[in-house]
Amino acid sequence: MGRSYFVDEAVEKYLGGLLAADPGSCVTGLLAGQSSPQRDFVVLAVQTPQRESEGQLKSSRGSGPLDDIDVEWVTEHARQVSRMLPGGLCILGLFLVTPPELSKDAQNTLKRLIFAMDKCISKGRLWELTEEDVNDRVTLHICSKTKKTVCKTLDVKDPKSSSKPADWKYQTCVSSSWPMLTCSVEVDLQIPLTGSSSDNTDKCMKDCLKRWAKQIEAGNCLISGRQALDDSELISGQKKNLKTTHRQTFPARILVSDEQPELDERSSALVQLCSGSMRVRGVVHCRAYIHNNKPKARHAVQAIKRDIINTVSSRVEMFLEDLLISEGSRKGLCTGQQALPRRVFAPMPFSGLSVCDYMFPDESTADVADRLKEMLDWETPEEDIDISLESNQLFSPELEMTDSHSDDSSKHVSEVQVENPHIHKAPQYYAGVVVAATIALLATATSLLYFSE
Amino acid sequence: MVYSEECAIIFRLKGILEFACQLDNPNAGSQSQSTISKSFQGLRSKVSSKHIVFTVCNSPILIWPNTGFRSSVESLTEASACGDILQYIESDDGGSKKTLKKKDKKRSGHTVVNLKLLFEVTDPAGNEAPSLIRVDTQQHCVKMPLHLDCVLSVTTDESLTSVCTGLVETLRKQLADMEEVVQRYRKGSSFLVPQPFHFQLPEPAGLTTVIYPAGVPDSQLQAIREDLHRKFELPSDRPYLRRANAYHFPDAAYKDGYLRNPHIHLNPPNIEDAKLYLVQGVYIYHHYMQDRVDDDGWGCAYRSLQTICSWFQQQGYVETAVPTHTQIQQALVDVGDKEPRFVGSRQWIGSIEVQVVLNQLLGVTSKILFVSQGSELATKGRELANHFQTEGTPVMIGGGVLAHTILGVAWSENSGQIRFLILDPHYTGGEDLQTITDKGWCGWKGPEFWDQNAYYNLCLPQRPKTI
């Protein structure tokens, strides 16, 4: 029995538009939405953006347009878009439009792309997959002439398995009444830097973030003031009103404890000689959506927790990537305080959900709008971009909590940018690609080798 | 052991706080001291902040103690009595304990409510997006988890608010005490982890918490204990504050599987005018076939000796484990009392050997009491009563062909009537309290229990006069 994909009608319209635009070529793109154990929901489709240096690609060794597909480019696009998706949503798969003569090779291409993409996306992940997570990814092949669609799924945990057929059904307003969970999380991580090389810096940061991610995963979560116990449903005791367009918002609260199992058995403190230390401090605004087909509270909890972890790790990753480009080396990480990119929200194409983006301190909403156009193939008016959820003021570095019982003493915040020689940025995407290319080249090359039987 | 009748609930709050600080130069005394102080101050602020949450274990209750009292259960408000919490707690003991539970409740007199300390990371004061702050000076980064463990004894009608406020205050005080221990025992960049221990001291001190540095044995903490004995006006000749003396919470199971103090489940004998003189403190019931040693028929005195050794260990006089049969035999060879081939044999030992081994392995002296006829034991009421009153140690008695342990006497000074509380090492079954008490393996016996014609030796171990 295959999986069922319930797809928003707006996606159908978008795909139809692609077919009409350029009948002879191959088009790749992403499909995004939410998986649940019973069924999957697709709410977004985005074609892979054109690569600027296309002239160079004509001299590839491939014998046709399918081989011309730049796997690296597609996966990098997927990686960047997945950073833009709030909790609960992820890249579910890929679509491929081909002219009729290439249809027979389409499945192979899709398989290559799916595995490469999954590898790329899961690399920086700080949380663990559970047994309830769906490992199937959807591939949609559309023949540009006949408009025939073939929908299959691939199990990314089992490269040797063959694809299985799946159902692709269009529906209206798939996500219009999906509940949304929100929270603002205060982050304060102290990262001692052991060793002197810059590689070590990365490892120290990653280890620290991993430990923090585990704390969040293990924490208690309250949704609208109640704990999610066992198998309870998120919305219990309420009549499901299918016609409603009102989206419910559930505030979430996360409670953690400072477990340190690796330090527990020691009778003395762990002391390390460090060449320095880093501190990540601030408030992140988080959002997650859950489908409204009798969702379980624990899935909603998982979605918001993953969003918390993702948003912090994405920002740190982006900051370091950006530094690598602009300064040429990690030594450019100067002392003092530097702002990490802040999260802004915009409406998602077609649906009423939101997507997010990260804005560097010297960027404006115009830059964000450009990026959204490029990555999501969608015009977003600047006034629709919500930049109010995270402020661009910085915590004062000298701020120490006073030893008093009242904690709402006014905090002194400064707006000063400290020592941040930031070059005016080209759109984030390209910068990211260069880094990703150098880092991920080996990975994709390996996967290509693996699949070219 | 007298439990005050008014204290009905013990609230026990446990949690972990990470202590972290950066020292530029660990050997610069005052600078490091103030850095460490600042870190602890930060932790104290943290527990006073509105972000701390108490969760009541095995219940859906969550309490925010520092935000004008907020709880996740609507019917629990500021004014609620803390006893109201009990109805929300699911108990997690198995069915097999049911028959004894009532008696246990009577003995222990305390209900323990366990809470865990959590921190809320949502609902922050501001919304400043994150920034990265980097410091490039060479530093020693110190990290250790502080296992906080706070107790508060209250009556059931105490308000929940005051319990929570009390717990927060206790947390702050514990952090201050921990800071003191950390600073005192720090050598350069070596920090010892401070560990809390709870002790049930005589009133008015009651349940008291002391912080000891991990890794420092009791023997090196003598001076600290002397100070505390003075402070709490405790007798200076018996230990109250060694780690082994720590209070055993009624709801905590012993991990080693042995039974302790089975005698507390017995009803005392009904003799007019008689007073009870019982063993003081905690001992472990050792008997035949335990620890997979088949000593059926020959090991009774060894087992009685093990029970006595366990008493000295449980009261904190020694830190060594209870000796095995082989170790007991080896000790006797070592002092020259037996030939080397004694080790590994199944030879019996008597009270004298018990006295020798207690001295050799534990440094404990014992008095020997001799009675030429079993019938005479009935006249030894005063001596035994005195022993249990002053020393309070279990007594090994050997004679005829049997050895037993005497745990106490019920004796009437007027009528001379006497009963003996006997712990019988000849029991070969498992650690089943029901069987042991029902069948009299631990039970009250009359003077006719002894072989009226045989002679008996009693070994009465003496408490070392130390704290």
Side-chain angles (χ1 to χ4, degrees):
Chain A
M1 214 190 54
R3 298 197 70 83
S4 301
Y5 287 83
F6 290 83
V7 189
D8 199 289
E9 275 184 350
V11 171
E12 185 178 23
K13 249 204 299 203
Y14 179 80
L15 292 173
L18 291 181
L19 291 175
D22 195 356
S25 66
C26 295
V27 185
T28 55
L30 307 172
L31 297 163
Q34 180 166 118
S35 274
S36 77
Q38 290 82 30
R39 54 178 75 165
D40 306 273
F41 305 92
V42 179
V43 297
L44 179 68
V46 187
Q47 63 168 326
T48 311
Q50 299 286 40
R51 192 161 193 177
E52 273 199 356
S53 46
E54 210 161 319
Q56 296 164 338
L57 288 180
K58 289 274 194 283
S59 55
S60 61
R61 45 185 180 85
S63 54
L66 274 182
D67 291 314
D68 282 350
I69 290 176
D70 191 341
V71 177
E72 215 177 278
W73 191 250
V74 172
T75 57
E76 181 53 26
H77 179 228
R79 187 177 81 102
Q80 300 260 345
V81 170
S82 71
R83 270 183 185 164
M84 294 174 132
L85 298 173
L89 302 175
C90 57
I91 309 284
L92 291 181
L94 299 166
F95 68 81
L96 175 64
V97 180
T98 65
E101 57 272 17
L102 295 173
S103 292
K104 56 179 171 36
D105 296 321
Q107 291 305 321
N108 249 356
T109 310
L110 281 167
K111 189 167 182 175
R112 264 167 50 209
L113 290 171
I114 289 278
F115 279 92
M117 177 187 79
D118 186 67
K119 197 162 193 152
C120 186
I121 290 183
S122 46
K123 227 191 310 174
R125 192 187 286 155
L126 292 178
W127 38 266
E128 301 293 325
L129 288 173
T130 67
E131 0 170 275
E132 289 190 304
D133 281 304
V134 175
N135 292 318
D136 291 299
R137 300 285 177 270
V138 66
T139 61
L140 190 73
H141 171 245
I142 312 175
C143 172
S144 55
K145 190 148 172 219
T146 64
K147 313 272 197 288
K148 174 159 169 272
T149 62
V150 175
C151 175
K152 289 186 193 267
T153 57
L154 284 165
D155 183 349
V156 282
K157 287 289 168 254
D158 188 4
K160 299 236 188 298
S161 67
S162 51
S163 55
K164 294 194 275 285
D167 281 334
W168 188 262
K169 300 186 205 164
Y170 288 109
Q171 275 191 342
T172 49
C173 300
V174 165
S175 63
S176 57
S177 39
W178 283 10
M180 175 173 86
L181 289 96
T182 63
C183 62
S184 291
V185 177
E186 174 149 13
V187 178
D188 191 355
L189 302 172
Q190 289 275 13
I191 307 163
L193 299 172
T194 54
S196 51
S197 70
S198 54
D199 287 341
N200 230 304
T201 309
D202 275 2
K203 185 171 184 308
C204 288
M205 289 203 81
K206 186 139 195 191
D207 283 346
C208 184
L209 283 172
K210 263 207 170 112
R211 229 176 298 129
W212 169 80
K214 279 209 168 66
Q215 259 187 10
I216 298 285
E217 274 188 297
N220 294 39
C221 181
L222 300 173
I223 300 183
S224 293
R226 273 182 299 130
Q227 294 199 75
L229 299 162
D230 306 324
D231 221 19
S232 61
E233 295 200 350
L234 181 65
I235 312 168
S236 54
Q238 278 175 293
K239 292 222 185 82
K240 216 169 49 150
N241 190 351
L242 292 166
K243 297 283 192 248
T244 183
T245 50
H246 161 66
R247 188 187 307 287
Q248 284 179 290
T249 305
F250 294 96
R253 306 180 84 116
I254 309 278
L255 312 173
V256 301
S257 77
D258 250 344
E259 307 289 336
Q260 306 252 309
E262 73 273 11
L263 292 181
D264 262 355
E265 299 307 314
R266 301 174 58 99
S267 60
S268 62
L270 179 66
V271 182
Q272 295 167 298
L273 186 55
C274 306
S275 56
S277 69
M278 285 205 284
R279 192 173 180 189
V280 175
R281 190 171 175 186
V283 176
V284 295
H285 184 84
C286 305
R287 233 175 239 193
Y289 294 95
I290 190 90
H291 63 86
N292 60 345
N293 178 37
K294 291 221 209 25
K296 296 265 191 258
R298 66 172 193 277
H299 293 143
V301 165
Q302 191 179 70
I304 191 75
K305 281 183 180 174
R306 286 176 176 178
D307 190 67
I308 297 170
I309 299 171
N310 284 342
T311 185
V312 173
S313 90
S314 293
R315 286 172 220 235
V316 171
E317 246 175 46
M318 292 171 72
F319 180 80
L320 294 175
E321 282 167 9
D322 179 66
L323 215 52
L324 194 62
I325 315 283
S326 59
E327 314 277 349
S329 84
R330 293 300 161 82
K331 294 222 192 295
L333 195 65
C334 41
T335 55
Q337 190 171 14
Q338 289 172 295
L340 291 173
R342 63 183 170 121
R343 198 177 198 186
V344 300
F345 288 87
M348 186 183 275
F350 325 137
S351 70
L353 307 175
S354 41
V355 288
C356 69
D357 191 26
Y358 293 93
M359 209 164 99
F360 276 83
D362 57 345
E363 290 184 322
S364 66
T365 48
D367 295 308
V368 174
D370 282 344
R371 240 183 338 260
L372 289 173
K373 171 75 187 132
E374 187 183 345
M375 305 294 285
L376 300 180
D377 199 15
W378 185 253
E379 296 283 356
T380 311
E382 280 183 46
E383 56 270 18
D384 284 354
I385 300 174
D386 187 355
I387 62 170
S388 66
L389 294 157
E390 292 181 3
S391 90
N392 60 356
Q393 297 183 317
L394 302 177
F395 272 112
S396 163
E398 291 87 34
L399 180 71
E400 293 287 32
M401 297 235 251
T402 53
D403 189 15
S404 69
H405 286 254
S406 69
D407 199 50
D408 36 23
S409 48
S410 51
K411 284 198 166 81
H412 168 67
V413 290
S414 63
E415 276 200 60
V416 179
Q417 299 290 334
V418 181
E419 297 172 46
N420 194 358
H422 202 81
I423 308 169
H424 176 71
K425 293 179 44 45
Q428 182 71 7
Y429 186 38
Y430 297 113
V433 169
V434 174
V435 178
T438 49
I439 294 172
L441 188 57
L442 217 54
T444 51
T446 317
S447 62
L448 282 171
L449 274 168
Y450 188 79
F451 286 117
S452 51
E453 282 122 15
Chain B
M1 282 188 297
V2 176
Y3 291 107
S4 153
E5 285 311 310
E6 293 95 51
C7 288
I9 307 191
I10 297 178
F11 282 90
R12 187 176 186 191
L13 174 65
K14 293 209 273 197
I16 303 181
L17 265 182
E18 183 184 71
F19 167 81
C21 74
Q22 284 82 33
L23 296 178
D24 292 327
N25 179 5
N27 294 314
S30 61
Q31 192 194 51
S32 306
Q33 252 189 334
S34 70
T35 310
I36 296 168
S37 240
K38 247 207 252 181
S39 289
F40 269 102
Q41 210 161 308
L43 293 176
R44 282 197 291 276
S45 296
K46 202 171 175 188
V47 303
S48 295
S49 78
K50 65 184 179 91
H51 293 303
I52 69 162
V53 182
F54 295 158
T55 169
V56 179
C57 299
N58 296 330
S59 85
I61 304 173
L62 292 168
I63 300 175
W64 281 254
N66 293 330
T67 55
F69 193 85
R70 196 191 340 151
S71 104
S72 63
V73 174
E74 275 158 17
S75 45
L76 288 176
T77 64
E78 294 186 348
S80 305
C82 61
D84 290 349
I85 274 192
L86 297 173
Q87 56 184 297
Y88 294 98
I89 302 178
E90 287 169 26
S91 58
D92 54 4
D93 52 347
S96 60
K97 295 247 172 70
K98 253 198 281 225
T99 44
L100 293 171
K101 207 158 165 260
K102 263 203 184 137
K103 274 193 195 167
D104 280 344
K105 270 267 157 71
K106 240 200 319 191
R107 307 286 168 196
S108 65
H110 288 107
T111 313
V112 181
V113 174
N114 289 299
L115 300 106
K116 191 167 170 201
L117 180 65
L118 297 175
F119 295 92
E120 177 169 3
V121 291
T122 42
D123 195 21
N127 67 347
E128 298 84 352
S131 54
L132 197 82
I133 304 165
R134 179 169 170 141
V135 171
D136 247 342
T137 52
Q138 210 183 54
Q139 293 174 317
H140 290 78
C141 289
V142 183
K143 242 201 256 235
M144 68 178 161
L146 301 176
H147 289 261
L148 298 167
D149 190 345
C150 296
V151 289
L152 199 68
S153 299
V154 292
T155 51
T156 43
D157 55 358
E158 187 88 27
S159 80
L160 209 44
T161 323
S162 79
V163 167
C164 290
T165 316
L167 284 170
V168 173
E169 270 315 300
T170 314
L171 277 173
R172 290 178 64 96
K173 173 157 195 309
Q174 187 158 108
L175 284 168
D177 291 341
M178 285 184 165
E179 178 184 346
E180 208 210 339
V181 168
V182 167
Q183 298 271 30
R184 193 186 323 169
Y185 286 90
R186 178 181 75 91
K187 285 194 182 58
S189 60
S190 157
F191 287 70
L192 294 179
V193 178
Q195 292 173 330
F197 289 87
H198 307 295
F199 300 97
Q200 180 79 45
L201 299 181
E203 297 294 326
L207 197 55
T208 309
T209 310
V210 179
I211 312 287
Y212 286 132
V216 178
D218 282 332
S219 46
Q220 288 176 28
L221 296 169
Q222 179 88 8
I224 312 255
R225 289 199 299 279
E226 278 167 13
D227 277 344
L228 290 171
H229 272 242
R230 265 193 295 275
K231 178 174 168 194
F232 294 115
E233 292 174 357
L234 301 170
S236 53
D237 66 346
R238 55 178 57 188
Y240 281 87
L241 297 167
R242 290 179 172 245
R243 291 184 175 96
N245 300 125
Y247 177 63
H248 177 78
F249 287 85
D251 61 340
Y254 288 103
K255 292 192 199 101
D256 53 21
Y258 292 122
L259 287 178
R260 284 157 172 77
N261 291 24
H263 72 273
I264 60 172
H265 301 282
L266 301 171
N267 289 319
N270 207 350
I271 305 179
E272 205 175 307
D273 228 13
K275 285 219 210 62
L276 289 181
Y277 305 88
L278 298 178
V279 65
Q280 298 172 31
V282 178
Y283 61 87
I284 290 177
Y285 181 21
H286 286 286
H287 57 80
Y288 276 172
M289 309 304 281
Q290 259 184 1
D291 308 318
R292 303 215 195 104
V293 175
D294 182 351
D295 58 337
D296 190 349
W298 61 273
C300 45
Y302 292 80
R303 296 295 184 182
S304 179
L305 172 52
Q306 283 181 332
T307 293
I308 294 173
C309 290
S310 81
W311 187 94
F312 283 94
Q313 183 208 45
Q314 295 290 305
Q315 264 55 249
Y317 288 101
V318 296
E319 281 164 13
T320 50
V322 169
T324 61
H325 291 59
T326 312
Q327 286 168 333
I328 292 169
Q329 289 172 336
Q330 187 62 50
L332 288 165
V333 169
D334 288 345
V335 298
D337 190 85
K338 296 274 185 275
E339 297 290 303
R341 60 193 155 86
F342 180 63
V343 180
S345 71
R346 306 165 107 217
Q347 283 192 40
W348 297 354
I349 55 174
S351 312
I352 307 299
E353 284 84 359
V354 169
Q355 179 190 42
V356 167
V357 174
L358 284 175
N359 187 45
Q360 172 71 0
L361 292 181
L362 272 59
V364 165
T365 55
S366 319
K367 290 204 182 122
I368 298 288
L369 187 61
F370 170 77
V371 292
S372 50
Q373 282 180 298
S375 48
E376 253 181 72
L377 276 166
T379 67
K380 297 296 176 189
R382 186 179 303 278
E383 280 189 76
L384 288 169
N386 274 344
H387 169 84
F388 285 110
Q389 258 190 327
T390 43
E391 307 301 326
T393 55
V395 171
M396 178 264 176
I397 178 168
V401 291
L402 302 173
H404 289 93
T405 310
I406 304 180
L407 296 174
V409 289
W411 177 62
S412 161
E413 198 165 347
N414 296 333
S415 65
Q417 283 207 70
I418 187 169
R419 297 284 181 280
F420 301 87
L421 180 57
I422 304 292
L423 189 67
D424 196 337
H426 301 90
Y427 172 63
T428 53
E431 309 310 319
D432 179 358
L433 186 56
Q434 193 73 49
T435 308
I436 289 164
T437 48
D438 282 354
K439 303 276 190 240
W441 295 102
C442 176
W444 288 96
K445 316 283 181 195
E448 66 282 358
F449 178 74
W450 310 110
D451 182 339
Q452 303 295 300
N453 299 312
Y455 67 85
Y456 283 91
N457 269 321
L458 291 83
C459 175
L460 286 72
Q462 307 293 295
R463 273 183 193 260
K465 303 279 180 277
T466 171
I467 63 168

